[in-house]
Amino acid sequence: MQSLHDSLWSTIARGGVRPLHVAPKYRDLESSPTLSPRMRIRNSFWYRHDEIRKVHLEYAQIEPHGMEIVHLVAYPEPTVDLPILGVDVVAVDGRVSMCIADPTPSTMDLTLPVEYAHGVDALAMRHGIRDLTRSYPRDPPDWGSEIFGPYCVLMAECPLDSFTPYALDIVEHHLMYPTGASRNVEDTSRALRRYSRQQRKNQKTQNMLRACFGDVFAKDYMATVMFDSTGL
């Protein structure tokens, strides 16, 4: 999982982005050593002027559960025609329990830019994603039904070395895609707000943060760092 995080970090850094200033208290986090479970979080943030509002990459370790989480979200500016890209992998004792890569459309009707979709489709074919999803099926959570896109890849217990090449390629595709103007800025803003609102309904994430850091921090972290709607 550390290697996945590092590979994602390198892929993002090559994508024409710049470091984004975020309050220091949100960068490297560690829960109290007197509490159990205990969580360590390392965050990195980037942006690209006029195109990508924020890229957030997180690596979390939770003990004594032996759990590791790699979480990435790239938020577009509402003025461009670019999806929200989300990549998440959860592993316990080195074994993946869930992985997802979803270019969530930034439109209320969940349609992707045509050329972007063609690129994602080509990647899925190259990496045999359809066969993988049949081999490692996982049902989407209820809160995801309003936002998961037509090219969402969601799997359970998929070998990490089978998922990683696709994850890296879709991140590269996303960052290198030549963005055009938003088809409807108001519609895009609504879709971006909906995405953050639905993601904040993820009770598993909120409960783990609450157990390690307390209720106030859990709500603040999810609303400010993970799934914010700044400027929308």
Side-chain angles (χ1 to χ4, degrees):
M1 290 288 281
Q2 176 74 60
S3 63
L4 171 61
H5 167 271
D6 294 348
S7 296
L8 285 170
W9 195 101
S10 297
T11 301
I12 296 165
R14 295 194 301 267
V17 294
R18 297 180 177 182
L20 176 66
H21 174 73
V22 174
K25 67 178 181 177
Y26 293 128
R27 288 199 171 272
D28 294 305
L29 305 160
E30 187 170 345
S31 62
S32 171
T34 63
L35 296 178
S36 183
R38 186 178 182 185
M39 179 183 284
R40 298 181 182 89
I41 301 175
R42 185 165 81 247
N43 288 315
S44 303
F45 304 91
W46 298 265
Y47 78 102
R48 190 161 70 209
H49 183 64
D50 290 338
E51 292 184 328
I52 297 176
R53 179 172 65 86
K54 182 175 76 173
V55 181
H56 172 213
L57 177 63
E58 173 191 285
Y59 176 51
Q61 298 169 290
I62 304 166
E63 297 296 348
H65 303 327
M67 182 180 290
E68 296 174 275
I69 301 167
V70 173
H71 164 79
L72 180 152
V73 181
Y75 293 96
E77 293 284 4
T79 52
V80 300
D81 193 12
L82 186 68
I84 310 155
L85 179 63
V87 175
D88 288 272
V89 181
V90 179
V92 178
D93 294 330
R95 182 173 180 175
V96 172
S97 61
M98 186 282 294
C99 58
I100 183 171
D102 182 26
T104 299
S106 56
T107 55
M108 292 301 292
D109 63 359
L110 295 178
T111 57
L112 288 170
V114 173
E115 291 303 318
Y116 185 102
H118 287 167
V120 174
D121 198 39
L123 291 177
M125 292 183 65
R126 182 192 309 168
H127 293 288
I129 289 300
R130 289 177 180 83
D131 290 337
L132 281 174
T133 54
R134 283 193 291 267
S135 298
Y136 305 100
R138 183 182 176 102
D139 293 331
D142 291 341
W143 55 263
S145 61
E146 290 188 34
I147 55 174
F148 288 173
Y151 290 90
C152 178
V153 172
L154 174 61
M155 295 182 284
E157 300 182 355
C158 175
L160 187 59
D161 59 359
S162 297
F163 178 74
T164 294
Y166 176 73
L168 296 177
D169 277 357
I170 199 170
V171 170
E172 182 176 52
H173 169 67
H174 186 83
L175 293 175
M176 297 302 178
Y177 180 75
T179 58
S182 172
R183 287 167 278 178
N184 184 319
V185 174
E186 182 178 348
D187 182 74
T188 299
S189 295
R190 288 177 59 208
L192 295 174
R193 291 194 300 269
R194 176 183 64 184
Y195 178 87
S196 293
R197 182 175 63 250
Q198 290 300 115
Q199 288 281 2
R200 291 196 294 266
K201 294 180 181 179
N202 186 337
Q203 286 298 312
K204 289 184 178 180
T205 298
Q206 189 170 137
N207 289 342
M208 183 58 71
L209 288 167
R210 182 184 293 116
C212 296
F213 293 100
D215 185 59
V216 173
F217 176 88
K219 291 178 179 178
D220 175 63
Y221 187 78
M222 290 189 73
T224 305
V225 178
M226 299 184 75
F227 308 114
D228 68 298
S229 301
T230 304
L232 302 174

